[in-house]
PDB file of all heavy atoms in Angstrom:
ATOM      1  N   ASN A  26     -35.956  42.315  28.663  1.00  0.00           N
ATOM      2  CA  ASN A  26     -37.113  41.627  29.232  1.00  0.00           C
ATOM      3  C   ASN A  26     -36.591  40.531  30.149  1.00  0.00           C
ATOM      4  O   ASN A  26     -35.858  39.637  29.713  1.00  0.00           O
ATOM      5  CB  ASN A  26     -37.977  41.007  28.126  1.00  0.00           C
ATOM      6  CG  ASN A  26     -39.251  40.396  28.662  1.00  0.00           C
ATOM      7  OD1 ASN A  26     -40.162  41.111  29.063  1.00  0.00           O
ATOM      8  ND2 ASN A  26     -39.330  39.077  28.685  1.00  0.00           N
ATOM      9  N   ALA A  27     -36.928  40.609  31.424  1.00  0.00           N
ATOM     10  CA  ALA A  27     -36.407  39.672  32.427  1.00  0.00           C
ATOM     11  C   ALA A  27     -37.482  38.675  32.839  1.00  0.00           C
ATOM     12  O   ALA A  27     -38.656  39.020  32.973  1.00  0.00           O
ATOM     13  CB  ALA A  27     -35.898  40.429  33.650  1.00  0.00           C
ATOM     14  N   MET A  28     -37.060  37.435  33.053  1.00  0.00           N
ATOM     15  CA  MET A  28     -37.970  36.375  33.481  1.00  0.00           C
ATOM     16  C   MET A  28     -37.350  35.627  34.661  1.00  0.00           C
ATOM     17  O   MET A  28     -36.202  35.194  34.588  1.00  0.00           O
ATOM     18  CB  MET A  28     -38.224  35.392  32.337  1.00  0.00           C
ATOM     19  CG  MET A  28     -39.074  34.191  32.733  1.00  0.00           C
ATOM     20  SD  MET A  28     -39.290  33.003  31.372  1.00  0.00           S
ATOM     21  CE  MET A  28     -37.690  32.185  31.364  1.00  0.00           C
ATOM     22  N   SER A  29     -38.101  35.509  35.745  1.00  0.00           N
ATOM     23  CA  SER A  29     -37.628  34.713  36.876  1.00  0.00           C
ATOM     24  C   SER A  29     -38.313  33.356  36.850  1.00  0.00           C
ATOM     25  O   SER A  29     -39.467  33.227  36.422  1.00  0.00           O
ATOM     26  CB  SER A  29     -37.904  35.421  38.209  1.00  0.00           C
ATOM     27  OG  SER A  29     -39.284  35.671  38.385  1.00  0.00           O
ATOM     28  N   LEU A  30     -37.575  32.348  37.302  1.00  0.00           N
ATOM     29  CA  LEU A  30     -38.045  30.969  37.221  1.00  0.00           C
ATOM     30  C   LEU A  30     -37.814  30.276  38.561  1.00  0.00           C
ATOM     31  O   LEU A  30     -36.693  30.280  39.081  1.00  0.00           O
ATOM     32  CB  LEU A  30     -37.275  30.257  36.114  1.00  0.00           C
ATOM     33  CG  LEU A  30     -37.661  28.840  35.723  1.00  0.00           C
ATOM     34  CD1 LEU A  30     -39.043  28.839  35.086  1.00  0.00           C
ATOM     35  CD2 LEU A  30     -36.635  28.275  34.743  1.00  0.00           C
ATOM     36  N   ARG A  31     -38.878  29.713  39.149  1.00  0.00           N
ATOM     37  CA  ARG A  31     -38.742  28.963  40.394  1.00  0.00           C
ATOM     38  C   ARG A  31     -38.585  27.485  40.055  1.00  0.00           C
ATOM     39  O   ARG A  31     -39.452  26.876  39.426  1.00  0.00           O
ATOM     40  CB  ARG A  31     -39.948  29.160  41.309  1.00  0.00           C
ATOM     41  CG  ARG A  31     -39.864  28.315  42.587  1.00  0.00           C
ATOM     42  CD  ARG A  31     -41.016  28.554  43.550  1.00  0.00           C
ATOM     43  NE  ARG A  31     -40.904  29.848  44.215  1.00  0.00           N
ATOM     44  CZ  ARG A  31     -41.712  30.885  44.004  1.00  0.00           C
ATOM     45  NH1 ARG A  31     -42.716  30.770  43.121  1.00  0.00           N
ATOM     46  NH2 ARG A  31     -41.555  32.013  44.639  1.00  0.00           N
ATOM     47  N   LEU A  32     -37.468  26.906  40.479  1.00  0.00           N
ATOM     48  CA  LEU A  32     -37.208  25.494  40.235  1.00  0.00           C
ATOM     49  C   LEU A  32     -38.061  24.631  41.167  1.00  0.00           C
ATOM     50  O   LEU A  32     -38.595  25.133  42.170  1.00  0.00           O
ATOM     51  CB  LEU A  32     -35.728  25.206  40.450  1.00  0.00           C
ATOM     52  CG  LEU A  32     -34.749  26.047  39.633  1.00  0.00           C
ATOM     53  CD1 LEU A  32     -33.312  25.650  39.956  1.00  0.00           C
ATOM     54  CD2 LEU A  32     -35.035  25.914  38.156  1.00  0.00           C
ATOM     55  N   PRO A  33     -38.218  23.339  40.879  1.00  0.00           N
ATOM     56  CA  PRO A  33     -39.041  22.461  41.727  1.00  0.00           C
ATOM     57  C   PRO A  33     -38.612  22.436  43.192  1.00  0.00           C
ATOM     58  O   PRO A  33     -39.437  22.218  44.080  1.00  0.00           O
ATOM     59  CB  PRO A  33     -38.848  21.086  41.074  1.00  0.00           C
ATOM     60  CG  PRO A  33     -38.607  21.393  39.637  1.00  0.00           C
ATOM     61  CD  PRO A  33     -37.765  22.645  39.653  1.00  0.00           C
ATOM     62  N   ASP A  34     -37.308  22.673  43.468  1.00  0.00           N
ATOM     63  CA  ASP A  34     -36.845  22.662  44.860  1.00  0.00           C
ATOM     64  C   ASP A  34     -36.946  24.030  45.526  1.00  0.00           C
ATOM     65  O   ASP A  34     -36.506  24.220  46.654  1.00  0.00           O
ATOM     66  CB  ASP A  34     -35.398  22.155  44.945  1.00  0.00           C
ATOM     67  CG  ASP A  34     -34.420  23.012  44.160  1.00  0.00           C
ATOM     68  OD1 ASP A  34     -34.817  24.110  43.694  1.00  0.00           O
ATOM     69  OD2 ASP A  34     -33.250  22.597  43.999  1.00  0.00           O
ATOM     70  N   GLY A  35     -37.535  25.013  44.823  1.00  0.00           N
ATOM     71  CA  GLY A  35     -37.764  26.328  45.399  1.00  0.00           C
ATOM     72  C   GLY A  35     -36.702  27.372  45.074  1.00  0.00           C
ATOM     73  O   GLY A  35     -36.913  28.563  45.306  1.00  0.00           O
ATOM     74  N   ARG A  36     -35.571  26.954  44.569  1.00  0.00           N
ATOM     75  CA  ARG A  36     -34.531  27.924  44.226  1.00  0.00           C
ATOM     76  C   ARG A  36     -34.944  28.753  43.016  1.00  0.00           C
ATOM     77  O   ARG A  36     -35.773  28.329  42.210  1.00  0.00           O
ATOM     78  CB  ARG A  36     -33.209  27.204  43.955  1.00  0.00           C
ATOM     79  CG  ARG A  36     -32.554  26.638  45.200  1.00  0.00           C
ATOM     80  CD  ARG A  36     -31.222  25.964  44.864  1.00  0.00           C
ATOM     81  NE  ARG A  36     -31.410  24.797  43.989  1.00  0.00           N
ATOM     82  CZ  ARG A  36     -30.415  24.127  43.424  1.00  0.00           C
ATOM     83  NH1 ARG A  36     -29.159  24.508  43.624  1.00  0.00           N
ATOM     84  NH2 ARG A  36     -30.659  23.075  42.662  1.00  0.00           N
ATOM     85  N   MET A  37     -34.336  29.937  42.899  1.00  0.00           N
ATOM     86  CA  MET A  37     -34.697  30.861  41.830  1.00  0.00           C
ATOM     87  C   MET A  37     -33.585  31.002  40.803  1.00  0.00           C
ATOM     88  O   MET A  37     -32.401  30.943  41.123  1.00  0.00           O
ATOM     89  CB  MET A  37     -35.029  32.242  42.414  1.00  0.00           C
ATOM     90  CG  MET A  37     -36.203  32.254  43.390  1.00  0.00           C
ATOM     91  SD  MET A  37     -37.763  31.757  42.605  1.00  0.00           S
ATOM     92  CE  MET A  37     -37.982  33.109  41.434  1.00  0.00           C
ATOM     93  N   MET A  38     -34.000  31.203  39.571  1.00  0.00           N
ATOM     94  CA  MET A  38     -33.103  31.407  38.435  1.00  0.00           C
ATOM     95  C   MET A  38     -33.727  32.500  37.573  1.00  0.00           C
ATOM     96  O   MET A  38     -34.939  32.722  37.623  1.00  0.00           O
ATOM     97  CB  MET A  38     -32.972  30.102  37.653  1.00  0.00           C
ATOM     98  CG  MET A  38     -32.162  30.172  36.387  1.00  0.00           C
ATOM     99  SD  MET A  38     -32.166  28.575  35.497  1.00  0.00           S
ATOM    100  CE  MET A  38     -31.185  27.576  36.604  1.00  0.00           C
ATOM    101  N   ALA A  39     -32.908  33.203  36.804  1.00  0.00           N
ATOM    102  CA  ALA A  39     -33.451  34.257  35.954  1.00  0.00           C
ATOM    103  C   ALA A  39     -32.786  34.240  34.583  1.00  0.00           C
ATOM    104  O   ALA A  39     -31.623  33.874  34.447  1.00  0.00           O
ATOM    105  CB  ALA A  39     -33.267  35.629  36.611  1.00  0.00           C
ATOM    106  N   VAL A  40     -33.556  34.656  33.576  1.00  0.00           N
ATOM    107  CA  VAL A  40     -33.053  34.814  32.215  1.00  0.00           C
ATOM    108  C   VAL A  40     -33.469  36.199  31.751  1.00  0.00           C
ATOM    109  O   VAL A  40     -34.626  36.594  31.927  1.00  0.00           O
ATOM    110  CB  VAL A  40     -33.625  33.760  31.251  1.00  0.00           C
ATOM    111  CG1 VAL A  40     -33.042  33.959  29.862  1.00  0.00           C
ATOM    112  CG2 VAL A  40     -33.337  32.359  31.745  1.00  0.00           C
ATOM    113  N   VAL A  41     -32.533  36.939  31.165  1.00  0.00           N
ATOM    114  CA  VAL A  41     -32.832  38.285  30.684  1.00  0.00           C
ATOM    115  C   VAL A  41     -32.522  38.378  29.192  1.00  0.00           C
ATOM    116  O   VAL A  41     -31.399  38.102  28.769  1.00  0.00           O
ATOM    117  CB  VAL A  41     -32.020  39.353  31.454  1.00  0.00           C
ATOM    118  CG1 VAL A  41     -32.418  40.751  30.978  1.00  0.00           C
ATOM    119  CG2 VAL A  41     -32.239  39.229  32.956  1.00  0.00           C
ATOM    120  N   GLN A  42     -33.520  38.753  28.410  1.00  0.00           N
ATOM    121  CA  GLN A  42     -33.353  38.989  26.975  1.00  0.00           C
ATOM    122  C   GLN A  42     -32.998  40.466  26.794  1.00  0.00           C
ATOM    123  O   GLN A  42     -33.731  41.344  27.261  1.00  0.00           O
ATOM    124  CB  GLN A  42     -34.649  38.683  26.230  1.00  0.00           C
ATOM    125  CG  GLN A  42     -35.154  37.261  26.366  1.00  0.00           C
ATOM    126  CD  GLN A  42     -36.579  37.141  25.860  1.00  0.00           C
ATOM    127  OE1 GLN A  42     -37.515  37.567  26.523  1.00  0.00           O
ATOM    128  NE2 GLN A  42     -36.750  36.579  24.663  1.00  0.00           N
ATOM    129  N   ILE A  43     -31.895  40.735  26.125  1.00  0.00           N
ATOM    130  CA  ILE A  43     -31.405  42.112  25.995  1.00  0.00           C
ATOM    131  C   ILE A  43     -31.290  42.488  24.524  1.00  0.00           C
ATOM    132  O   ILE A  43     -30.635  41.794  23.748  1.00  0.00           O
ATOM    133  CB  ILE A  43     -30.039  42.272  26.688  1.00  0.00           C
ATOM    134  CG1 ILE A  43     -30.148  41.864  28.161  1.00  0.00           C
ATOM    135  CG2 ILE A  43     -29.535  43.705  26.568  1.00  0.00           C
ATOM    136  CD1 ILE A  43     -28.810  41.793  28.869  1.00  0.00           C
ATOM    137  N   ALA A  44     -31.913  43.597  24.148  1.00  0.00           N
ATOM    138  CA  ALA A  44     -31.820  44.080  22.777  1.00  0.00           C
ATOM    139  C   ALA A  44     -30.407  44.590  22.520  1.00  0.00           C
ATOM    140  O   ALA A  44     -29.683  44.961  23.445  1.00  0.00           O
ATOM    141  CB  ALA A  44     -32.825  45.209  22.551  1.00  0.00           C
ATOM    142  N   GLY A  45     -30.002  44.612  21.247  1.00  0.00           N
ATOM    143  CA  GLY A  45     -28.649  45.035  20.904  1.00  0.00           C
ATOM    144  C   GLY A  45     -28.617  46.244  20.004  1.00  0.00           C
ATOM    145  O   GLY A  45     -29.596  46.995  19.901  1.00  0.00           O
ATOM    146  N   LEU A  46     -27.509  46.431  19.322  1.00  0.00           N
ATOM    147  CA  LEU A  46     -27.293  47.582  18.458  1.00  0.00           C
ATOM    148  C   LEU A  46     -28.275  47.604  17.294  1.00  0.00           C
ATOM    149  O   LEU A  46     -28.747  48.647  16.881  1.00  0.00           O
ATOM    150  CB  LEU A  46     -25.851  47.551  17.932  1.00  0.00           C
ATOM    151  CG  LEU A  46     -25.385  48.735  17.092  1.00  0.00           C
ATOM    152  CD1 LEU A  46     -25.354  49.996  17.942  1.00  0.00           C
ATOM    153  CD2 LEU A  46     -24.001  48.457  16.511  1.00  0.00           C
ATOM    154  N   ILE A  47     -28.584  46.411  16.761  1.00  0.00           N
ATOM    155  CA  ILE A  47     -29.486  46.317  15.616  1.00  0.00           C
ATOM    156  C   ILE A  47     -30.876  45.859  16.046  1.00  0.00           C
ATOM    157  O   ILE A  47     -31.878  46.243  15.466  1.00  0.00           O
ATOM    158  CB  ILE A  47     -28.922  45.331  14.570  1.00  0.00           C
ATOM    159  CG1 ILE A  47     -27.517  45.779  14.141  1.00  0.00           C
ATOM    160  CG2 ILE A  47     -29.823  45.251  13.347  1.00  0.00           C
ATOM    161  CD1 ILE A  47     -26.831  44.825  13.205  1.00  0.00           C
ATOM    162  N   ALA A  48     -30.920  45.031  17.101  1.00  0.00           N
ATOM    163  CA  ALA A  48     -32.209  44.490  17.557  1.00  0.00           C
ATOM    164  C   ALA A  48     -33.149  45.607  17.998  1.00  0.00           C
ATOM    165  O   ALA A  48     -32.738  46.548  18.646  1.00  0.00           O
ATOM    166  CB  ALA A  48     -31.995  43.519  18.704  1.00  0.00           C
ATOM    167  N   ARG A  49     -34.424  45.482  17.643  1.00  0.00           N
ATOM    168  CA  ARG A  49     -35.403  46.487  18.045  1.00  0.00           C
ATOM    169  C   ARG A  49     -36.700  45.863  18.569  1.00  0.00           C
ATOM    170  O   ARG A  49     -37.656  46.571  18.825  1.00  0.00           O
ATOM    171  CB  ARG A  49     -35.727  47.406  16.844  1.00  0.00           C
ATOM    172  CG  ARG A  49     -34.614  48.381  16.487  1.00  0.00           C
ATOM    173  CD  ARG A  49     -34.372  49.372  17.626  1.00  0.00           C
ATOM    174  NE  ARG A  49     -33.414  50.404  17.273  1.00  0.00           N
ATOM    175  CZ  ARG A  49     -32.106  50.285  17.410  1.00  0.00           C
ATOM    176  NH1 ARG A  49     -31.610  49.157  17.889  1.00  0.00           N
ATOM    177  NH2 ARG A  49     -31.301  51.268  17.094  1.00  0.00           N
ATOM    178  N   ARG A  50     -36.693  44.554  18.745  1.00  0.00           N
ATOM    179  CA  ARG A  50     -37.911  43.930  19.268  1.00  0.00           C
ATOM    180  C   ARG A  50     -37.573  42.657  20.018  1.00  0.00           C
ATOM    181  O   ARG A  50     -36.876  41.779  19.516  1.00  0.00           O
ATOM    182  CB  ARG A  50     -38.891  43.624  18.134  1.00  0.00           C
ATOM    183  CG  ARG A  50     -40.128  42.855  18.599  1.00  0.00           C
ATOM    184  CD  ARG A  50     -41.280  43.020  17.655  1.00  0.00           C
ATOM    185  NE  ARG A  50     -42.360  42.099  17.934  1.00  0.00           N
ATOM    186  CZ  ARG A  50     -43.215  42.205  18.966  1.00  0.00           C
ATOM    187  NH1 ARG A  50     -43.089  43.188  19.823  1.00  0.00           N
ATOM    188  NH2 ARG A  50     -44.179  41.324  19.118  1.00  0.00           N
ATOM    189  N   ILE A  51     -38.092  42.579  21.250  1.00  0.00           N
ATOM    190  CA  ILE A  51     -37.933  41.398  22.083  1.00  0.00           C
ATOM    191  C   ILE A  51     -39.282  40.689  22.153  1.00  0.00           C
ATOM    192  O   ILE A  51     -40.297  41.308  22.442  1.00  0.00           O
ATOM    193  CB  ILE A  51     -37.463  41.777  23.502  1.00  0.00           C
ATOM    194  CG1 ILE A  51     -36.080  42.427  23.445  1.00  0.00           C
ATOM    195  CG2 ILE A  51     -37.439  40.549  24.410  1.00  0.00           C
ATOM    196  CD1 ILE A  51     -35.597  42.961  24.784  1.00  0.00           C
ATOM    197  N   VAL A  52     -39.290  39.406  21.877  1.00  0.00           N
ATOM    198  CA  VAL A  52     -40.521  38.615  21.919  1.00  0.00           C
ATOM    199  C   VAL A  52     -40.425  37.622  23.070  1.00  0.00           C
ATOM    200  O   VAL A  52     -39.449  36.880  23.176  1.00  0.00           O
ATOM    201  CB  VAL A  52     -40.731  37.853  20.594  1.00  0.00           C
ATOM    202  CG1 VAL A  52     -41.988  36.991  20.677  1.00  0.00           C
ATOM    203  CG2 VAL A  52     -40.815  38.824  19.429  1.00  0.00           C
ATOM    204  N   CYS A  53     -41.426  37.616  23.944  1.00  0.00           N
ATOM    205  CA  CYS A  53     -41.502  36.653  25.045  1.00  0.00           C
ATOM    206  C   CYS A  53     -42.866  35.991  24.988  1.00  0.00           C
ATOM    207  O   CYS A  53     -43.895  36.663  25.084  1.00  0.00           O
ATOM    208  CB  CYS A  53     -41.301  37.344  26.394  1.00  0.00           C
ATOM    209  SG  CYS A  53     -41.336  36.210  27.812  1.00  0.00           S
ATOM    210  N   SER A  54     -42.893  34.674  24.819  1.00  0.00           N
ATOM    211  CA  SER A  54     -44.152  33.961  24.593  1.00  0.00           C
ATOM    212  C   SER A  54     -44.685  33.244  25.830  1.00  0.00           C
ATOM    213  O   SER A  54     -45.661  32.500  25.730  1.00  0.00           O
ATOM    214  CB  SER A  54     -43.976  32.950  23.457  1.00  0.00           C
ATOM    215  OG  SER A  54     -42.902  32.054  23.749  1.00  0.00           O
ATOM    216  N   VAL A  55     -44.055  33.437  26.978  1.00  0.00           N
ATOM    217  CA  VAL A  55     -44.557  32.817  28.205  1.00  0.00           C
ATOM    218  C   VAL A  55     -45.119  33.902  29.116  1.00  0.00           C
ATOM    219  O   VAL A  55     -44.876  35.086  28.915  1.00  0.00           O
ATOM    220  CB  VAL A  55     -43.451  32.029  28.957  1.00  0.00           C
ATOM    221  CG1 VAL A  55     -42.936  30.899  28.087  1.00  0.00           C
ATOM    222  CG2 VAL A  55     -42.314  32.954  29.372  1.00  0.00           C
ATOM    223  N   SER A  56     -45.868  33.476  30.124  1.00  0.00           N
ATOM    224  CA  SER A  56     -46.469  34.427  31.064  1.00  0.00           C
ATOM    225  C   SER A  56     -46.308  33.922  32.491  1.00  0.00           C
ATOM    226  O   SER A  56     -45.977  32.748  32.722  1.00  0.00           O
ATOM    227  CB  SER A  56     -47.953  34.632  30.744  1.00  0.00           C
ATOM    228  OG  SER A  56     -48.640  33.388  30.753  1.00  0.00           O
ATOM    229  N   GLU A  57     -46.514  34.796  33.431  1.00  0.00           N
ATOM    230  CA  GLU A  57     -46.352  34.449  34.841  1.00  0.00           C
ATOM    231  C   GLU A  57     -47.307  33.323  35.240  1.00  0.00           C
ATOM    232  O   GLU A  57     -48.463  33.296  34.852  1.00  0.00           O
ATOM    233  CB  GLU A  57     -46.599  35.684  35.709  1.00  0.00           C
ATOM    234  CG  GLU A  57     -45.582  36.787  35.481  1.00  0.00           C
ATOM    235  CD  GLU A  57     -45.861  38.033  36.293  1.00  0.00           C
ATOM    236  OE1 GLU A  57     -46.781  38.000  37.139  1.00  0.00           O
ATOM    237  OE2 GLU A  57     -45.162  39.049  36.102  1.00  0.00           O
ATOM    238  N   GLY A  58     -46.784  32.375  35.997  1.00  0.00           N
ATOM    239  CA  GLY A  58     -47.577  31.244  36.459  1.00  0.00           C
ATOM    240  C   GLY A  58     -47.475  30.015  35.579  1.00  0.00           C
ATOM    241  O   GLY A  58     -47.923  28.931  35.970  1.00  0.00           O
ATOM    242  N   MET A  59     -46.872  30.147  34.401  1.00  0.00           N
ATOM    243  CA  MET A  59     -46.758  29.008  33.477  1.00  0.00           C
ATOM    244  C   MET A  59     -45.721  28.009  33.964  1.00  0.00           C
ATOM    245  O   MET A  59     -44.683  28.380  34.500  1.00  0.00           O
ATOM    246  CB  MET A  59     -46.380  29.488  32.079  1.00  0.00           C
ATOM    247  CG  MET A  59     -47.507  30.129  31.295  1.00  0.00           C
ATOM    248  SD  MET A  59     -47.018  30.550  29.577  1.00  0.00           S
ATOM    249  CE  MET A  59     -46.633  28.920  28.923  1.00  0.00           C
ATOM    250  N   GLN A  60     -46.017  26.727  33.756  1.00  0.00           N
ATOM    251  CA  GLN A  60     -45.048  25.664  34.001  1.00  0.00           C
ATOM    252  C   GLN A  60     -44.281  25.445  32.699  1.00  0.00           C
ATOM    253  O   GLN A  60     -44.885  25.267  31.644  1.00  0.00           O
ATOM    254  CB  GLN A  60     -45.774  24.367  34.394  1.00  0.00           C
ATOM    255  CG  GLN A  60     -46.614  24.472  35.661  1.00  0.00           C
ATOM    256  CD  GLN A  60     -45.753  24.526  36.916  1.00  0.00           C
ATOM    257  OE1 GLN A  60     -44.661  23.959  36.949  1.00  0.00           O
ATOM    258  NE2 GLN A  60     -46.237  25.209  37.932  1.00  0.00           N
TER     259      GLN A  60
END
């Protein structure tokens, strides 16, 4: 599950949650447009 983030100066950053060998569920509690 990938999330892109726009910093206050306009630059972009991203965070990606990746499931593993045992992991079977990714939880993301934010949505597009949230500060």
Side-chain angles (χ1 to χ4, degrees):
N26 185 72
M28 175 183 76
S29 59
L30 186 67
R31 177 177 287 111
L32 304 180
D34 60 10
R36 288 181 296 172
M37 299 297 295
M38 175 183 291
V40 181
V41 183
Q42 300 167 285
I43 303 171
L46 185 65
I47 303 175
R49 287 296 186 273
R50 175 158 169 74
I51 297 174
V52 178
C53 182
S54 56
V55 298
S56 56
E57 296 177 7
M59 284 185 62
Q60 299 287 330

